[in-house]
């Protein structure tokens, strides 16, 4: 039977995925600050407390370290918690539980224990929330063996990847860009999964590869359409997962287009683009490059409160367009 496909927002797709997971497995519980009656800082949890009750949709005290610790312990003792941070910035308060406990328990106990916890992080700039509520910290956690770190860019993917994360035996960190929450797109009804380790080519091209993450995928696609009007065909890859990284898709694309531009919102230095660049430099694709690899990342500064400065601190469509055009024109 053919599956119906509707238009849902990114946040509606997350909420539907959590409901499906809770319907199919009584071990799945939701935890986080203000996710109960209030429905979550960004209203993503919504009315799930009315449908599943406070025993399965639990408000936690204002202690990210304590809440994350309870979620990790619950996962180790048989539950499947989905823990929501109000902002990804607050992960810094819970690093002990994420990095030293969740990521390492399987290895330190000889594989006798798994930690099937999912943590959700509203992330990124663009809401005027300033320096302490607008960061992109996915590269911090992607540096930690034992974690999976994903950045779904569409409503379809966030539902399928969240459902895959709930089934995974290891901790999965989901970074959700806040500006995507209202974005709508086609989402199939019912249960489906999207692999946690596969990138996807959003646009085929022959002249340049842009590897982008999260909301930058959409900005890269917009820039690619503008470049197409000048006869430049850009291939846009949505990385989707930053740990693990789908190296095969990246290498094959660069071997085809001979140029690579990495676009991401996190701070440029020591960011995702550095790792992608190194992957290509250490692969057979290096010999296919006709131009130096270019990284287009966030500025070396905390995210400003001023709206114009906030925009200037992260790559915009015009920046991607200009960088890509310089590369294909041989100006780099």
């Amino acid at each position: 039977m053919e599956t119906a496909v509707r238009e849902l927002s990114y946040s509606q797709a997350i909420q539907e995925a959590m409901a499906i997971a809770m319907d199919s497995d009584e071990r799945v519980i939701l935890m986080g600050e203000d996710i109960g009656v209030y429905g979550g800082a960004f209203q993503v949890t919504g009315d799930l407390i009315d449908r599943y009750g406070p025993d399965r949709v639990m408000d936690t005290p204002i202690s990210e370290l304590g809440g994350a610790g309870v979620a990790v312990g619950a996962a180790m003792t048989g539950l499947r918690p989905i823990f929501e941070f109000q902002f990804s910035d607050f992960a810094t308060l819970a690093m002990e539980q994420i990095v030293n406990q969740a990521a390492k328990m399987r290895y330190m106990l000889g594989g006798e224990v798994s930690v099937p916890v999912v943590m959700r992080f509203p992330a990124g700039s663009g809401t005027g929330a300033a320096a302490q509520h607008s960061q992109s910290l996915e590269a911090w956690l992607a540096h930690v063996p034992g974690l999976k770190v994903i950045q779904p860019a569409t409503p379809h993917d966030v539902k399928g990847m969240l459902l895959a994360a709930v089934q995974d035996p290891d901790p999965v960190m989901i970074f959700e860009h806040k500006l995507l929450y209202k974005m709508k797109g086609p989402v199939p009804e019912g249960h489906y999964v999207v692999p946690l380790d596969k990138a996807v080519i959003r646009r085929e091209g022959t002249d340049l590869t842009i590897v982008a993450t999260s909301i930058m995928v959409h900005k890269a696609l917009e820039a690619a359409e503008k470049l197409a009007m000048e006869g430049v065909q850009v291939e846009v890859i949505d990385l989707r997962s930053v740990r693990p990284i789908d190296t095969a898709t990246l290498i094959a694309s660069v071997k085809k287009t001979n140029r690579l531009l990495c676009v991401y919102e996190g701070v440029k230095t020591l960011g995702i683009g550095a790792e992608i660049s190194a992957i290509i430099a250490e692969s057979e694709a290096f010999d296919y490059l006709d131009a130096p690899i270019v990284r287009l990342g966030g500025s070396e500064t905390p995210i400003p409160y001023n709206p114009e400065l906030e925009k200037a601190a992260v790559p915009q469509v015009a920046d991607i367009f200009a960088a890509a055009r310089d590369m294909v024109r041989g100006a780099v």
Side-chain angles (χ1 to χ4, degrees):
M1 186 173 65
E2 190 171 335
T3 302
V5 177
R6 308 82 17 96
E7 288 274 324
L8 292 182
S9 70
Y10 191 91
S11 60
Q12 288 172 326
I14 295 171
Q15 185 181 125
E16 184 168 275
M18 292 192 294
I20 290 172
M22 296 178 81
D23 284 337
S24 61
D25 188 343
E26 64 181 12
R27 298 173 301 170
V28 177
I29 60 171
L30 309 184
M31 302 175 62
E33 297 166 9
D34 287 333
I35 67 165
V37 175
Y38 188 64
F42 294 93
Q43 302 298 299
V44 175
T45 308
D47 66 350
L48 292 183
I49 191 170
D50 298 327
R51 297 160 62 181
Y52 298 97
D55 288 343
R56 297 186 71 192
V57 182
M58 291 182 279
D59 280 321
T60 57
I62 304 177
S63 169
E64 284 75 14
L65 178 62
V70 172
V72 171
M76 291 174 63
T77 53
L79 295 178
R80 297 262 172 176
I82 301 173
F83 186 85
E84 176 183 310
F85 286 80
Q86 288 187 325
F87 292 86
S88 66
D89 313 73
F90 302 162
T92 57
L93 297 162
M95 280 298 186
E96 154 63 19
Q97 288 299 327
I98 298 171
V99 176
N100 279 337
Q101 306 303 329
K104 295 180 172 60
M105 280 299 105
R106 172 189 289 277
Y107 302 91
M108 295 185 70
L109 298 177
E112 295 295 320
V113 169
S114 63
V115 187
V117 63
V118 176
M119 293 185 174
R120 297 182 39 244
F121 303 95
S125 65
T127 62
Q132 296 169 326
H133 299 75
S134 303
Q135 298 172 88
S136 298
L137 301 178
E138 57 277 356
W140 287 32
L141 297 186
H143 190 68
V144 180
L147 300 180
K148 294 183 176 72
V149 182
I150 61 175
Q151 290 185 281
T154 68
H156 174 278
D157 280 2
V158 77
K159 178 182 173 181
M161 296 183 85
L162 177 51
L163 286 169
V166 171
Q167 296 176 357
D168 198 275
D170 296 314
V172 180
M173 311 288 110
I174 305 179
F175 283 81
E176 305 160 359
H177 200 289
K178 297 189 286 287
L179 295 183
L180 293 176
Y181 280 140
K182 294 182 180 179
M183 177 177 288
K184 291 190 173 182
V187 179
E189 289 184 343
H191 186 280
Y192 66 91
V193 296
V194 173
L196 301 178
D197 59 352
K198 298 294 183 187
V200 61
I201 297 173
R202 297 292 184 193
R203 187 184 193 282
E204 299 272 356
T206 55
D207 299 322
L208 167 74
T209 295
I210 296 180
V211 178
T213 59
S214 189
I215 196 167
M216 290 300 158
V217 172
H218 303 283
K219 293 183 179 182
L221 287 168
E222 187 176 341
E225 291 304 313
K226 294 179 183 295
L227 287 159
M229 297 173 67
E230 297 187 1
V232 177
Q233 296 303 322
V234 176
E235 183 146 298
V236 178
I237 295 178
D238 176 356
L239 194 60
R240 296 204 289 199
S241 171
V242 294
R243 177 177 275 275
I245 289 178
D246 179 3
T247 57
T249 296
L250 306 184
I251 291 170
S253 180
V254 172
K255 288 172 69 174
K256 180 174 68 171
T257 69
N258 312 116
R259 296 176 181 85
L260 172 61
L261 172 61
C262 308
V263 184
Y264 50 106
E265 182 165 324
V267 174
K268 176 181 175 181
T269 300
L270 297 172
I272 302 302
E275 186 60 32
I276 295 170
S277 301
I279 289 170
I280 296 303
E282 293 172 349
S283 77
E284 71 268 24
F286 179 76
D287 290 331
Y288 289 77
L289 288 172
D290 289 338
I293 299 169
V294 172
R295 292 175 293 152
L296 200 57
S299 299
E300 308 293 325
T301 177
I303 298 294
Y305 175 69
N306 176 283
E308 294 304 317
L309 293 178
E310 183 182 29
K311 288 181 183 177
V314 299
Q316 302 296 330
V317 173
D319 302 316
I320 302 169
F321 176 85
R325 185 165 62 177
D326 284 349
M327 292 181 71
V328 296
R329 287 182 174 180
V332 175

